[in-house]
Amino acid sequence: MSVRILHTSDWHLGKKLFQVERLTEQDLFLTWLSKEITEKKITHLLIAGDIFDTPNPPDKALSTYFKFLREVSEKNIQVYIIAGNHDSGRFIEAPKEFLKKENIHIVGKLNSLEFEPKEHQFEISEYFQLNILPYFRTKEIQDLPWYEKPEQFESEANKEALLNTIEKLVENITNSQKKNILMAHHLFGSFFTSESEQSLNLSGVNSIPLSLFKENYEYLALGHIHKPQIVSNEKPLAIYSGSPIAFRFSEIHQKKYSLLTIEDKNLKQEWVEIPSFRDLIRIEAKSSTWRETIKEKLTLHSNVSNTEKILLDLDINVDEVQPGLKREILSFLENYPVTLMGLKIKVQTESENSRNALNLEQNIQDIFKDYYQSIYPGEDVPQELLETFNLIQNKNMGLT
Ligand SMILES: [Mn+2]
């Protein structure tokens, strides 16, 4: 019998876009996913963290989640869930013992002080084993038995000590007699963000190197990054499935899940597109043609089979101030099924264009100096403070 694994992550149930609820879409997604599991004959479902948007999710998000789990529990499949950085590990783990009986396996936190590899290891076929790790923080790595504290606190030594410990952690859950799959919620290799992910940091470790998984690993089922992507095509294949819905206007790209088919010793991966249950659209128009532009773009989206109003972010570029333009735009939009999330009317004159360009060229240190002087008028930035600022800035830019 072939194994068919569906890898998804970052549902962020309960997340809003400003004040707009997204739970209807999230519920529609889960209804779709439940059907998809049956249609695609899925045998294993992997949910790679950030189930909820907050450690204390709203009631509606909870009932959406448990309704889904109840549904999949009747499908005779295995489900694996880890907590992400947005989740409370303890909260996610609370129903663990009950759900185990339904073949739903949950790992919410790394019990570093009483680490038990077996709690992270699951056999999925004769040749494959699944190892799952929840999102972990620096402290949890330092509490693991293999952690060796560097003699002196120095960032390189510290980073090395953490990476060595992570390597030991991976070794301890890996089955060298089998082909392994890892599910985790962290930063791995080099990736592209969607800007709605929180930055993660393991005391100076920006990202966990894929070289730790060279041997024995066939696939890394990753969560955290919202843009679906292949981080590494070479062994192991490392993939962020991305979030199922666009949470921001910077996330308007096709949403997907990753589908794995395992036949004996072979693993094949493919992407499956997730339909949009509500569109986010960003439109930029000129003052002379804004009506036509909006009409054209919104008509393109009118065939989307969703009941929710389109979320619109609108930028209108004008040559000079036009009194009443905003009111005109608002009344025009009343004819369309849209919720206006942002409206910018930008007056762009020749001189303003060149001033903007100049502003961009102003270097960050000068901006800092200006800021300092806005708080302490007439004073120069103390040399020591300026040096510290530059140090931090260089670190941010990855220059040191
Ligand atoms: Mn995350």
Side-chain angles (χ1 to χ4, degrees):
M1 196 186 100
S2 77
V3 172
R4 288 169 68 80
I5 302 175
L6 192 160
H7 159 208
T8 170
S9 74
D10 295 83
W11 295 354
H12 289 265
L13 300 177
K15 190 178 179 72
K16 291 179 180 178
L17 180 63
F18 301 108
Q19 292 308 310
V20 176
E21 284 277 3
R22 313 293 300 276
L23 261 167
T24 310
E25 297 154 72
Q26 293 177 321
D27 197 27
L28 286 169
F29 160 67
L30 291 179
T31 306
W32 175 85
L33 188 66
S34 175
K35 276 203 199 115
E36 189 74 3
I37 288 167
T38 310
E39 278 170 21
K40 295 274 163 66
K41 299 187 169 63
I42 299 302
T43 55
H44 297 71
L45 171 66
L46 271 54
I47 313 168
D50 283 354
I51 314 297
F52 298 106
D53 192 49
T54 52
N56 238 331
D59 295 355
K60 269 194 193 165
L62 277 175
S63 53
T64 300
Y65 173 63
F66 284 108
K67 191 184 85 185
F68 174 77
L69 290 188
R70 164 74 205 265
E71 247 176 72
V72 292
S73 74
E74 285 162 9
K75 292 181 193 283
N76 196 23
I77 66 167
Q78 301 291 323
V79 182
Y80 305 88
I81 301 170
I82 54 169
N85 56 310
H86 281 257
D87 298 308
S88 150
R90 291 175 42 161
F91 185 85
I92 294 285
E93 273 198 1
K96 181 177 173 165
E97 295 303 324
F98 282 108
L99 292 177
K100 218 181 249 176
K101 291 200 297 192
E102 306 293 335
N103 295 326
I104 298 171
H105 315 278
I106 303 177
V107 180
K109 53 193 191 326
L110 206 55
N111 287 322
S112 312
L113 298 173
E114 294 163 34
F115 185 76
E116 186 47 73
K118 285 215 153 25
E119 287 176 9
H120 300 263
Q121 301 170 307
F122 302 88
E123 191 187 291
I124 51 172
S125 76
E126 191 185 345
Y127 303 108
F128 281 81
Q129 176 175 303
L130 170 71
N131 308 314
I132 73 181
L133 289 176
Y135 169 67
F136 45 81
R137 295 172 176 81
T138 306
K139 175 78 170 71
E140 283 144 354
I141 295 300
Q142 288 169 335
D143 281 345
L144 283 165
W146 315 286
Y147 180 71
E148 284 175 36
K149 197 177 173 189
E151 282 175 20
Q152 276 183 334
F153 184 84
E154 194 257 312
S155 71
E156 269 312 301
N158 198 47
K159 185 174 153 183
E160 206 183 304
L162 287 172
L163 285 178
N164 287 340
T165 313
I166 295 170
E167 190 170 5
K168 282 279 183 321
L169 169 66
V170 171
E171 264 173 43
N172 272 271
I173 56 172
T174 303
N175 182 343
S176 58
Q177 308 302 313
K178 284 196 168 193
K179 290 170 179 273
N180 291 256
I181 292 173
L182 176 83
M183 170 160 77
H185 190 99
H186 231 292
L187 299 176
F188 287 83
S190 35
F191 45 82
F192 297 99
T193 67
S194 286
E195 296 170 28
S196 60
E197 303 89 353
Q198 279 178 358
S199 66
L200 299 184
N201 199 319
L202 280 169
S203 295
V205 181
N206 292 326
S207 147
I208 299 167
L210 296 174
S211 54
L212 299 190
F213 308 91
K214 274 281 168 255
E215 277 174 59
N216 303 318
Y217 277 85
E218 293 289 318
Y219 185 83
L220 307 188
L222 306 176
H224 185 59
I225 303 291
H226 292 180
K227 194 179 168 69
Q229 61 196 280
I230 298 176
V231 181
S232 158
N233 235 329
E234 289 166 29
K235 191 177 171 252
L237 182 59
I239 284 186
Y240 281 104
S241 64
S243 61
I245 72 170
F247 292 114
R248 283 194 187 184
F249 287 95
S250 60
E251 264 188 54
I252 312 175
H253 40 245
Q254 178 63 51
K255 295 298 184 182
K256 299 170 186 175
Y257 72 77
S258 175
L259 175 63
L260 307 179
T261 311
I262 294 176
E263 304 271 6
D264 295 328
K265 291 179 181 172
N266 299 315
L267 178 147
K268 195 185 91 200
Q269 187 272 344
E270 62 194 293
W271 289 108
V272 179
E273 293 187 354
I274 299 173
S276 165
F277 300 101
R278 178 180 219 173
D279 281 359
L280 271 68
I281 310 179
R282 188 175 253 165
I283 298 177
E284 193 170 347
K286 285 192 202 131
S287 64
S288 51
T289 52
W290 63 265
R291 283 186 185 80
E292 291 80 358
T293 309
I294 293 172
K295 196 174 160 190
E296 191 188 332
K297 297 253 164 119
L298 291 181
T299 312
L300 276 178
H301 284 261
S302 62
N303 57 355
V304 175
S305 60
N306 57 32
T307 48
E308 298 282 294
K309 283 185 175 176
I310 291 167
L311 301 178
L312 176 67
D313 188 30
L314 189 57
D315 280 7
I316 310 276
N317 297 318
V318 295
D319 300 326
E320 54 188 27
V321 180
Q322 291 181 25
L325 178 60
K326 186 178 171 186
R327 202 164 0 109
E328 240 178 278
I329 294 167
L330 293 180
S331 92
F332 179 80
L333 288 176
E334 278 172 17
N335 303 314
Y336 294 92
V338 297
T339 301
L340 189 62
M341 301 300 293
L343 171 62
K344 271 188 236 110
I345 298 176
K346 291 189 280 194
V347 184
Q348 282 197 324
T349 58
E350 280 295 308
S351 64
E352 200 159 349
N353 280 338
S354 52
R355 198 173 344 130
N356 283 340
L358 267 182
N359 274 342
L360 284 175
E361 278 171 23
Q362 190 184 20
N363 92 38
I364 188 94
Q365 186 177 307
D366 292 339
I367 296 173
F368 179 64
K369 282 181 184 165
D370 285 352
Y371 173 71
Y372 185 87
Q373 281 162 355
S374 74
I375 296 174
Y376 306 103
E379 280 183 42
D380 278 339
V381 183
Q383 194 54 33
E384 202 182 332
L385 183 61
L386 199 59
E387 278 167 17
T388 309
F389 175 79
N390 285 334
L391 193 73
I392 294 168
Q393 179 55 23
N394 288 341
K395 271 222 157 90
N396 261 340
M397 309 275 288
L399 298 177
T400 57

